[in-house]
Amino acid sequence: MKHELILEQLKIMGFDPVCIDDEKYLFEYKEMKFILTNDSDNEDFLSISIPWVYELTEENKMCVYETANLINTLVRYVKLTIHDEYISMVFEHRLAENEDLEDLLENIIHALSASLSVFLKKMKGEKIPYLDYNPEEDDDETDDSTDDSDIELESELEKLLENIDD
C-alpha cells in the first residue's frame, strides 16, 4: 500500500516510473536513472538507488574505496555499495506514519544526485571547495578560479547537509 502511494507521489512530481520487474521501478531525473525497490516483505522500507555509477578496477580500487567512504560518512542514509565490479548508490529509509512523501522523495533524489556529483568529481581528481578546504594552504590571496559548477555543487551540498535528518 505505501509503495503505491510512493509511485503515485512520483507521478504527481512529474516522474514516469516504469515497472522493470515485480518489485522494481525505474525513473529518471537529470539524465540519471533511479530505481525504486518495493520490498513486499516490509512496506515501511523505502529504497531508491542509482545503480552502476562507476566501474571498480584494480587500478582505481583504493581511490574508489576512499571516495565511497567519504560519501558514506558525509551523507547520512546514502550508502555506496559494490555489486559485480560496479559501485551503486542507495538511499534507504524507514517510512513513518503520515510522512510527507513529496518532501522525502525530493530529499532522497537530491541526496543521491549530490552524492553522485561529488563522487564523480572526486574520482576525476577535481577539488571540491566545500570538502577540500585546507586552512594550511590558505594565504592572503583570494583564489577566484572557482567556476559556477563548483559554486552550485557547494550550494547543493550545504542544502543537502541541512536537510538530512540526524
Side-chain angles (χ1 to χ4, degrees):
M1 180 67 164
K2 287 185 181 178
H3 286 281
E4 290 170 8
L5 294 173
I6 293 167
L7 286 171
E8 185 60 33
Q9 183 60 51
L10 284 169
K11 290 175 185 173
I12 290 168
M13 295 168 68
F15 296 105
D16 184 25
V18 176
C19 183
I20 55 176
D21 72 23
D22 288 341
E23 298 202 347
K24 292 183 180 166
Y25 294 84
L26 175 73
F27 65 97
E28 292 187 38
Y29 172 72
K30 292 187 176 180
E31 299 181 13
M32 290 177 275
K33 296 183 185 320
F34 292 80
I35 294 180
L36 167 67
T37 302
N38 179 9
D39 185 346
S40 57
D41 294 331
N42 183 356
E43 70 175 45
D44 289 335
F45 182 73
L46 174 60
S47 175
I48 296 180
S49 63
I50 304 176
W52 312 296
V53 299
Y54 206 84
E55 184 175 11
L56 181 68
T57 65
E58 273 306 311
E59 294 79 31
N60 69 16
K61 187 185 323 188
M62 288 311 297
C63 186
V64 167
Y65 291 160
E66 290 171 4
T67 306
N69 187 55
L70 172 70
I71 301 296
N72 288 342
T73 303
L74 180 66
V75 187
R76 295 177 192 218
Y77 303 110
V78 172
K79 294 187 287 186
L80 276 73
T81 59
I82 300 169
H83 298 285
D84 299 326
E85 308 294 320
Y86 282 90
I87 301 295
S88 294
M89 296 185 162
V90 63
F91 189 112
E92 297 177 325
H93 179 77
R94 180 175 168 77
L95 293 166
E97 288 297 319
N98 301 319
E99 191 146 16
D100 181 344
L101 291 180
E102 181 176 13
D103 187 49
L104 174 64
L105 291 169
E106 282 180 7
N107 185 40
I108 291 171
I109 291 165
H110 288 295
L112 286 167
S113 304
S115 297
L116 177 58
S117 181
V118 169
F119 180 84
L120 294 175
K121 281 183 174 275
K122 293 295 281 182
M123 290 306 299
K124 291 177 186 174
E126 296 178 26
K127 287 202 174 232
I128 299 170
Y130 185 74
L131 299 175
D132 293 326
Y133 174 70
N134 183 351
E136 293 177 6
E137 295 176 1
D138 202 8
D139 56 18
D140 292 339
E141 294 180 27
T142 304
D143 180 11
D144 292 331
S145 64
T146 304
D147 65 17
D148 290 339
S149 64
D150 287 338
I151 293 168
E152 181 180 316
L153 177 61
E154 182 176 2
S155 173
E156 188 67 30
L157 276 171
E158 287 174 1
K159 284 187 247 174
L160 169 73
L161 294 173
E162 289 172 4
N163 291 326
I164 293 180
D165 296 331
D166 289 339

